[in-house]
Amino acid sequence: MGFTRRTDVAALLYRNLKVLAALIVLLVAALLFVAVREHRSEWRAIQDEYNRQARATGKAAAPVALRQIWRPELDLVDRCVSCHLGMGAAPAIVPAAEGGAGDAALFGKHPPVTHDVRAMGCTVCHRGQGAATTSVAAHGRVRFWDDPMLAAPQVGASCGFCHGDDVRISDGERSAARLPIDGSAWLDGKRAFTALGCRGCHRLGGIGGNVGPELDNAGAKSPAAMDFRLVTGAPTREAWHREHLLDPAKVSPGSQMPKFARPAAELDALVTYILSLRAEAVPVQLKPRPRLVGAESFLAEGRPLGAGLYGALCVQCHAENGTGKVIEALATVVPAIGNRDYLAVASTRYVSASIGAGRGGRAMPSWTRDAGGLETDEIDALVTYLESLRPEPATFAAVEALEPQATAAAGWVVLARDCAGCHGPEAAGTDLAPSLVAPELAAFASDRQLYEVIVRGVGDTAMPAFAHLPATSIASVLMALRAGPLGGSVVRGWDRARAVREVEASLGVAELAAYRAAGNAEKGAVKFKALCAGCHGPDGLGGTGPSLTSPGFLAAASDGFIAATILAGRSLRPMRPFGGAAGIAPLSRAEVADVIAYLRAARPEDPKAPMPRRVFGNGARGAEFYVKRCAECHGATGQGGVGPAFDSPDFQRVVADGFIQALIVRGNAGTPMRGWGRGGSAFAWLTPGEINDLVTHIRRYRAPEGAEPAP
């Protein structure tokens, strides 16, 4: 038994020794193979060839060794100089193209750049796999390598990545000289990206829309994450981006991005710019000192801030000059925000609030700092630009100068054409707008005040701006308002001169135009709520009577006009006098001043606050008309279609009833929205009451929080 056991152990030991011997043989063979392969490696062969050419040209041979550049702050290991010796690892050899015998790519001198190539290496600009020791692996054309070497035309992308923050489009070609190499392609790409309005859909650097994906790291997208099945040609990032620009839906099925059929040079420039968009940070110590801090500007050369922002962020959807367009990929009609009808009724508050809030559920994003990335002053500049598209009105001096040529009859033609839809066919006033023939209007409003209301409108009410009217038409309208209706005064026995004298005496002024209210707003608030809120609303924003605290009204109405209206009332309207023996609740001079002080001190506008309801019609009747005439464009449930969506909480919050009234009456020229009010541009007539019914129904769609329920 003992002998047998010893025999088994010896046999096992013998077998193990044979296995060990075999492993040693394999190890020695592997070491020999590695040594032979290393001796015959690609980089060694290149260095041997360099030394042969160097000796032939009288230069010293370079030690044969694997070389590398290590930049830990960039997480960079770069062995490219093991082959590209002329780039700084050894003296350059004159290439054959210049009369020498050297290989330009391997042994030639690097083109002049601001970097020290010996310190920075190659991959910081050309990318690729810097730690590799073969050309195939180093140049990145290997499966699953995330950062392949850039094609020669796109090398400028790396310059833009590091130095782009310091290059302004507005600097023109001067900026290209700041880049380490010729940066014109990258600069052209950045310029095209801005001119095409790509930021309108894509957020970049914290600024842009949310329809498309963010682009901050678009240039670092791995080829492994790209689907090349529908890309013709080589499966490279450059080819993918180029074909994606040409036909996004083909390369990325389901994409809503429009096609960009641009010239080949512009497409290459855009691809270069896109490849420069990488999220990783550049170490501050590596930024050129003179340009350590540089604010990026994406505005076109020579354009004001607002116009530049519009071109960069809005033009892709709203088109040049805000004419609007159909975007088939998004199945939407983008509204015209630069045409006359829209700008005539859109108040500064509404435009600013719309830019800030956006339209939830639509392609229009919020552009506030936390969303689209714009500061308040930039939104203000954008609003100013849009308002600059309004027609420049005739000056008051020009209107006065043409008064001899004006006639009341011509003024009544203008009133019948442009004003009857709101003020009624005889301008006697309706549920939408006050009487224009009440004698108090002509008595207490100056020509300048009436002119301002005509050409500027009254913001957030149904009164649009008529800035397009020629001076002769405005002069004729003023004359018609002064003369009253063609059939004579609507109030028998009314004496204008006496009415003005009585008001001036009550206010203690020689001329109504000189009156300035100096009252107590707190006392005025008490009096207003007791006597005025029943018609004008608890905050003066309107009800049965018009809004008295809207910025548009307060900008147009003088203290004298408001005071005279309080004291004398308004004929043909529910507004009764509050002065003299006929006053229903006579107010003293001080009390009138207190009420005006309260109106002037009304809380400032808050663009985020919901606009209050001031129209209360019959929603059921409005729904019947909506189904017949509006649902086809705006959707059966207000979800939008060819026309904008009414069920958007953002729309409901920022829009005023007056804005809706005015657009229903006037329509929006150049869009499918026709006018429905009485007048020359109307498609079919709706009475003022029917328009209010329709507005009431529209307000039923997702009414903003705190708004009163529709009847």
Side-chain angles (χ1 to χ4, degrees), residues 13-86:
L13 180 60
Y14 179 70
R15 285 196 300 270
N16 288 343
L17 287 173
K18 288 197 299 183
V19 171
L20 180 61
L23 291 175
I24 291 173
V25 171
L26 289 174
L27 177 61
V28 171
L31 291 174
L32 288 173
F33 173 78
V34 170
V36 171
R37 190 182 67 170
E38 180 66 16
H39 183 73
R40 299 178 62 183
S41 62
E42 182 181 10
W43 63 266
R44 186 180 293 274
I46 290 172
Q47 291 190 19
D48 288 342
E49 175 61 20
Y50 171 85
N51 286 334
R52 187 189 67 77
Q53 293 187 19
R55 284 190 290 268
T57 56
K59 299 182 184 298
V64 177
L66 188 64
R67 294 168 169 80
Q68 75 176 22
I69 298 168
W70 180 44
R71 297 303 297 264
E73 70 275 22
L74 290 173
D75 192 24
L76 181 149
V77 175
D78 195 321
R79 294 172 179 161
C80 304
V81 289
S82 294
C83 293
H84 299 276
L85 283 86

Side-chain angles (χ1 to χ4, degrees), residues 188-230:
D188 287 344
K190 185 175 186 179
R191 186 180 289 115
F193 182 88
T194 298
L196 293 171
C198 301
R199 260 194 171 100
C201 294
H202 297 280
R203 190 176 174 89
L204 177 61
I207 300 175
N210 56 10
V211 175
E214 292 188 6
L215 297 180
D216 289 292
N217 207 33
K221 187 174 182 179
S222 170
M226 295 176 169
D227 186 350
F228 291 100
R229 289 175 298 177
L230 299 174

Side-chain angles (χ1 to χ4, degrees), residues 439 442-445 482 494-501:
F444 302 137
R482 294 285 176 224
W494 198 84
D495 188 325
R496 173 181 175 178
R498 184 183 66 188
V500 172
R501 287 196 303 271

